[in-house]
């Protein structure tokens, strides 16, 4: 694609920037739509549109055409993250939610692994087929797969427990709905009733929204891994030839994506099992810090340097832990939960839309001056924010307990604390 479209400046950075801008514009409007109309029609309809637009990228002849299409793909894809996290947070219990969010999110590394393998095969077997380059076939096939999944989504997405998808009756029976509603009542979870202008503004008065929206982008420290391919492409054999073929440039990142997939399941699964988030977030921070130090040092041993990139892929696990931590503490505030998921995503995309242009300019590849140093600072700051959130929840719990004593309701903790059935979950090592 670089050679065919003459991408010799920072076009790769701008492809991501335009996607991120479109994504951010859609986030809050989508939150409002999905709270009123539910996810089972809105989410697959938007996915159908971004699948069609992905196919359209296969026809481009200039970078400017890619900018426009990437903006539109991002616009419709902006419905997905907050939409699916809102959906998951309406169905699962506090000791189940992190693992379920991770099971959803591993579609990202799994999809990247399949896509990378497919693109490697396309570059070998489809190059020139029917007069099209291999990278053009990659967009066509990715788009077709997306369209197929979107069509299935109309049938298989369950909707909310209080407003189930009527097309999903073939597997979602009335007794399942009854069980889901009973579970929601057990933890004091309120139904999605629709976000109004007033309730939308009210969401921003919650400290939890701001704390998690800040922790989200600096905790998920995977931007350096986005430039792994550029480093690989720069490597040469002693005779000056390229070390890796186009196929290998697509295959090698699969190792990192596989590590991310496994780490997400392990971190979230054990976090749910032990009923705590902070220790796993801090372990994640240690891995992130080690990754950035390796990338800063730039060891001469290429395998050691490659290990730094592979460790960086694991940075994505913090997002699932943070989202589940927030969801558990906001059971009684469905609007805040939905807007929080969108706000965290906006903060992350704002950072990723502009900071990488300065931190990892493509024309500096493969020896970026400030990229890893900046993200090392983010990793250290994230660890401090995680600790701050932990103690803020402790303070919040004590404040509510004092209020409960004052109102003579100390014997009814669920009534005294409507935001969470088990108020200590996520702040102690007590198994739920």
């Amino acid at each position: 694609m670089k050679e065919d479209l003459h991408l010799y400046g920072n076009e790769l950075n701008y492809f991501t920037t335009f996607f991120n801008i479109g994504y951010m514009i859609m986030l809050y409007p989508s939150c409002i739509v999905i709270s009123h109309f539910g996810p089972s029609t809105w989410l697959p309809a938007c996915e159908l549109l971004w699948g069609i637009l992905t196919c359209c990228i296969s026809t481009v002849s200039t970078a400017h055409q890619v900018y426009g299409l990437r903006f539109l793909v991002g616009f419709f894809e902006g419905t997905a993250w907050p939409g699916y996290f809102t959906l998951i947070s309406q169905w699962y219990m506090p000791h189940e939610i992190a693992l379920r969010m991770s099971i959803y999110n591993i579609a990202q590394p799994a999809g990247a692994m399949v896509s990378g393998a497919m693109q490697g095969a396309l570059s070998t077997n489809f190059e020139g087929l029917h007069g099209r380059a291999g990278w053009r076939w990659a967009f066509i096939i990715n788009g077709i797969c997306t369209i197929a999944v979107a069509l299935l989504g109309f049938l298989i997405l369950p909707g909310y427990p209080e407003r189930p998808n009527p097309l999903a009756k073939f597997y979602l029976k009335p007794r399942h709905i009854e069980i889901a509603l009973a579970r929601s009542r057990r933890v004091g979870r309120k139904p999605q009733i629709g976000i109004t202008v007033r309730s939308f503004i009210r969401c921003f008065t919650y400290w939890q929204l701001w704390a998690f929206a800040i922790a989200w982008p600096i905790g998920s420290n995977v931007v350096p891994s986005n430039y792994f391919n550029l480093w690989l492409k720069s490597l040469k054999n002693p005779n000056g030839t390229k070390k890796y073929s186009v196929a290998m440039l697509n295959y090698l990142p699969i190792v990192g994506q596989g590590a991310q997939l496994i780490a997400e399941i392990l971190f979230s699964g054990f976090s749910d099992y032990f009923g705590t988030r902070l220790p796993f977030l801090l372990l994640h921070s240690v891995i992130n810090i080690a990754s950035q130090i390796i990338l800063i040092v730039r060891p001469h041993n290429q395998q050691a340097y490659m290990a730094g990139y592979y460790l960086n892929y694991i940075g994505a696990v913090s997002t699932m832990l943070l989202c589940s931590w927030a969801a558990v503490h906001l059971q009684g505030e469905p609007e805040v939960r939905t807007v929080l998921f969108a706000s965290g995503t906006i903060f992350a995309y704002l950072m990723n839309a502009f900071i990488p242009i300065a931190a990892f300019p493509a024309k500096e590849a493969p020896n970026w001056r400030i990229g890893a140093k900046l993200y090392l600072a983010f990793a250290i700051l994230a660890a401090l924010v995680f600790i701050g959130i932990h103690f803020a929840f402790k303070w919040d719990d004590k404040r509510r307990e004092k209020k409960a004593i004052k109102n003579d309701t100390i014997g009814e903790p669920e009534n005294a604390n409507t935001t969470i059935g088990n108020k200590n979950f996520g702040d102690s090592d007590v198994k739920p």
Side-chain angles (χ1 to χ4, degrees):
M1 189 176 187
K2 175 181 177 181
E3 288 75 22
D4 287 354
L5 301 186
H6 308 290
L7 311 178
Y8 299 113
N10 285 332
E11 290 91 350
L12 178 63
N13 301 88
Y14 293 133
F15 290 165
T16 302
T17 297
F18 278 94
F19 174 91
N20 291 349
I21 292 171
Y23 200 107
M24 288 185 291
I25 290 173
M26 176 56 108
L27 283 167
Y28 284 141
S30 179
C31 283
I32 295 170
V33 171
I34 203 171
S35 70
H36 285 278
F37 300 104
S40 53
T41 301
W42 176 245
L43 293 179
C46 290
E47 183 167 357
L48 180 64
L49 290 170
W50 93 61
I52 294 170
L53 290 163
T54 299
C55 290
C56 292
I57 297 178
S58 69
T59 67
V60 300
S61 57
T62 68
H64 288 86
Q65 293 170 345
V66 182
Y67 296 155
L69 288 169
R70 286 285 286 170
F71 172 86
L72 292 172
V73 170
F75 182 80
F76 289 108
E77 196 171 331
T79 61
W81 264 79
Y84 282 107
F85 277 20
T86 297
L87 179 61
I88 291 168
S89 70
Q90 286 295 119
W91 283 89
Y92 290 101
M93 300 288 277
H95 63 283
E96 301 168 339
I97 194 168
L99 180 59
R100 270 61 179 190
M101 285 183 170
S102 287
I103 289 172
Y104 161 75
N105 194 60
I106 61 172
Q108 183 179 358
M113 291 166 68
V114 172
S115 186
M118 182 189 70
Q119 287 163 199
L122 288 173
S123 70
T124 303
N125 302 312
F126 272 54
E127 185 66 39
L129 182 65
H130 298 302
R132 290 182 177 272
W135 66 267
R136 295 185 187 274
W137 282 109
F139 282 107
I140 293 171
I141 294 173
N142 270 292
I144 290 172
C145 292
T146 303
I147 291 168
V149 172
L151 294 174
L152 284 174
F154 288 106
L155 298 175
I156 62 177
L157 283 183
Y160 299 132
E162 60 274 11
R163 283 183 285 160
N165 179 8
L167 298 179
K169 287 182 178 178
F170 69 95
Y171 79 92
L172 196 61
K173 306 302 181 185
R175 63 186 179 87
H176 299 144
I177 303 299
E178 292 172 7
I179 292 170
L181 292 172
R183 281 155 52 94
S184 294
R185 288 192 296 269
R186 196 186 313 165
V187 294
R189 182 182 301 144
K190 293 183 179 179
Q192 289 281 342
I193 58 175
I195 298 173
T196 64
V197 173
R198 185 173 182 177
S199 63
F200 179 79
I201 295 172
R202 185 180 69 89
C203 293
F204 293 94
T205 65
Y206 281 73
W207 69 263
Q208 293 95 328
L209 185 147
W210 293 103
F212 282 96
I214 292 170
W216 187 318
I218 62 174
S220 181
N221 208 332
V222 293
V223 169
S225 66
N226 294 340
Y227 299 91
F228 184 32
N229 284 81
L230 290 183
W231 175 70
L232 290 173
K233 194 170 184 178
S234 72
L235 300 179
K236 299 185 184 302
N237 294 312
N239 63 2
T241 60
K242 291 183 179 295
K243 184 168 184 176
Y244 296 115
S245 65
V246 174
M248 285 302 296
L249 292 177
N250 284 288
Y251 293 145
L252 286 171
I254 292 175
V255 177
Q257 292 148 3
Q260 178 186 339
L261 188 154
I262 294 169
E264 284 205 26
I265 294 296
L266 291 177
F267 274 63
S268 295
F270 282 114
S271 174
D272 277 349
Y273 182 79
F274 290 108
T276 184
R277 308 297 185 208
L278 181 63
F280 294 95
L281 284 166
L282 293 179
L283 175 60
H284 147 273
S285 293
V286 170
I287 295 171
N288 251 339
I289 290 168
S291 165
Q292 302 307 324
I293 289 174
I294 293 172
L295 296 181
I296 291 170
V297 172
R298 297 177 188 168
H300 293 296
N301 184 297
Q302 290 182 1
Q303 284 69 34
Y305 196 27
M306 194 177 292
Y309 277 108
Y310 284 145
L311 284 173
N312 187 242
Y313 281 92
I314 299 175
V317 304
S318 69
T319 304
M320 304 305 104
L321 295 172
L322 286 168
C323 287
S324 58
W325 202 9
V328 165
H329 282 270
L330 291 168
Q331 300 281 9
E333 295 292 344
E335 295 91 354
V336 180
R337 265 188 283 130
T338 301
V339 176
L340 184 152
F341 295 147
S343 299
T345 308
I346 282 180
F347 275 50
Y349 274 78
L350 275 172
M351 284 184 60
N352 293 343
F354 303 106
I355 292 179
I357 295 175
F360 290 97
K363 61 186 178 183
E364 282 188 10
N367 298 312
W368 294 278
R369 292 176 295 112
I370 65 171
K373 297 174 185 176
L374 178 62
Y375 283 87
L376 173 62
F378 286 152
I380 295 171
L381 178 60
L384 297 175
V385 174
F386 298 154
I387 294 170
I389 291 173
H390 169 79
F391 284 107
F393 276 136
K394 289 285 189 184
W395 175 83
D396 222 19
D397 289 340
K398 289 180 180 178
R399 181 181 59 82
R400 276 197 290 265
E401 287 174 3
K402 289 179 180 178
K403 185 177 180 180
I405 294 172
K406 186 176 180 180
N407 294 331
D408 296 322
T409 56
I410 187 66
E412 303 176 27
E414 286 193 5
N415 292 334
N417 177 15
T418 59
T419 60
I420 177 169
N422 176 3
K423 63 182 175 61
N424 288 321
F425 186 86
D427 297 309
S428 70
D429 290 326
V430 179
K431 186 178 177 181

